[in-house]
């Protein structure tokens, strides 16, 4: 039972990394795609994810439901700059600074990849925008960053991934909102 979960989780995170890598390559940030989420292989994140493995959504959600918090998530968001939570400091004069370009690109690729993997054959190009519209209401995030993500996902919903994720287009959207 346990070994099955280990293998399934390994397959899931490696598949996720692969999809993020491909998307980051399209968007012109291959190095971010390569380095994406390596901390998921660390004992703190890996062990908890095995314990709460479900396959249909993130084990982090299951850990939160069961324990009230997720150690894997606290470990993950503190080390991975593509997560908006990394950039939040409520004690600072500017609690939600703008994320640097390369991490902002990695963030949108991560979102799209997570949707593709968990939705499987039910995934549509409109899915991520629908998910994001609900998610952004609860997020503590710089408004300019929110607008950046919204425009990228609106374009994906309208024109698809290939037309949206290219270096020139993403740079242009980032400049418009965050530059
Ligand atoms: Zn991550």
């Amino acid at each position: 039972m346990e070994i099955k979960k280990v293998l399934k989780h390994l397959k899931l995170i490696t598949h996720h990394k692969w999809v993020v890598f491909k998307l980051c390559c399209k968007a012109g940030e291959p190095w971010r795609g390569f380095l994406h989420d390596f901390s998921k292989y660390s004992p703190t994140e890996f062990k908890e994810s095995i314990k709460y493995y479900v396959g249909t959504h993130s084990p982090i959600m299951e850990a939160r439901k069961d324990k009230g918090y997720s150690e894997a998530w606290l470990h993950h968001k503190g080390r991975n700059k593509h997560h908006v939570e990394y950039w939040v400091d409520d004690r600072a004069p500017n609690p939600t600074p703008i994320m640097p370009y390369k991490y902002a690109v990695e963030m949108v690729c991560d979102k799209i990849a997570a949707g593709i993997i968990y939705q499987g054959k039910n995934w549509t190009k409109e899915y991520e925008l629908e998910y994001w519209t609900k998610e952004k209401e609860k997020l503590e995030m710089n408004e300019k960053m929110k607008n950046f993500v919204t425009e990228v996902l609106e374009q994906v919903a309208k024109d698809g991934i290939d037309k949206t994720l290219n270096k020139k287009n993403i740079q242009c959207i980032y400049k418009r909102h965050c530059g």
Side-chain angles (χ1 to χ4, degrees):
M1 205 58 203
E2 195 72 353
I3 188 78
K4 260 191 189 166
K5 280 189 181 177
V6 170
L7 292 175
K8 278 186 175 174
H9 182 62
L10 254 183
K11 198 177 146 196
L12 185 79
I13 58 179
T14 307
H15 183 202
H16 174 73
K17 261 184 79 65
W18 174 239
V19 177
V20 172
F21 176 68
K22 285 197 288 186
L23 296 175
C24 279
C25 286
K26 281 185 202 291
E29 291 294 332
W31 189 237
R32 291 317 313 160
F34 176 72
L35 293 172
H36 182 76
D37 274 357
F38 260 123
S39 72
K40 282 190 182 167
Y41 300 93
S42 70
T44 309
E45 293 185 35
F46 199 83
K47 273 193 222 152
E48 192 190 82
S49 302
I50 298 306
K51 190 173 172 205
Y52 294 103
Y53 179 85
V54 275
T56 51
H57 54 264
S58 170
I60 288 167
M61 293 188 203
E62 293 301 302
R64 284 177 181 148
K65 261 194 263 170
D66 185 45
K67 294 195 292 184
Y69 72 101
S70 163
E71 212 183 325
W73 172 244
L74 296 175
H75 186 269
H76 190 84
K77 66 141 185 182
R79 286 164 183 78
N80 292 273
K81 295 184 181 178
H82 63 276
H83 287 287
V84 66
E85 293 84 352
Y86 178 99
W87 298 92
V88 174
D89 179 2
D90 285 322
R91 293 183 205 168
N94 177 6
T96 54
I98 286 177
M99 293 164 73
Y101 175 75
K102 59 182 179 180
Y103 302 118
V105 175
E106 188 183 351
M107 170 177 62
V108 289
C109 292
D110 186 23
K111 287 185 187 303
I112 297 167
I116 289 172
I117 285 172
Y118 284 127
Q119 293 304 303
K121 59 180 180 345
N122 297 323
W123 188 81
T124 62
K125 63 188 186 352
E126 293 84 15
Y127 172 82
E128 214 47 56
L129 180 63
E130 288 161 22
Y131 187 88
W132 166 248
T133 306
K134 288 176 253 160
E135 186 192 17
K136 74 173 177 186
E137 299 306 323
K138 295 172 267 169
L139 271 185
E140 187 177 5
M141 185 181 192
N142 191 298
E143 282 305 315
K144 291 176 179 174
M145 293 300 320
K146 280 190 183 178
N147 294 338
F148 164 74
V149 177
T150 303
E151 190 175 348
V152 174
L153 297 179
E154 275 171 357
Q155 282 194 17
V156 170
K158 190 170 156 274
D159 303 322
I161 289 173
D162 288 336
K163 275 198 184 161
T164 308
L165 289 187
N166 63 77
K167 197 172 181 177
K168 220 177 130 196
N169 186 44
I170 301 292
Q171 273 178 342
C172 181
I173 301 173
Y174 183 85
K175 259 190 212 146
R176 189 152 50 239
H177 297 289
C178 312

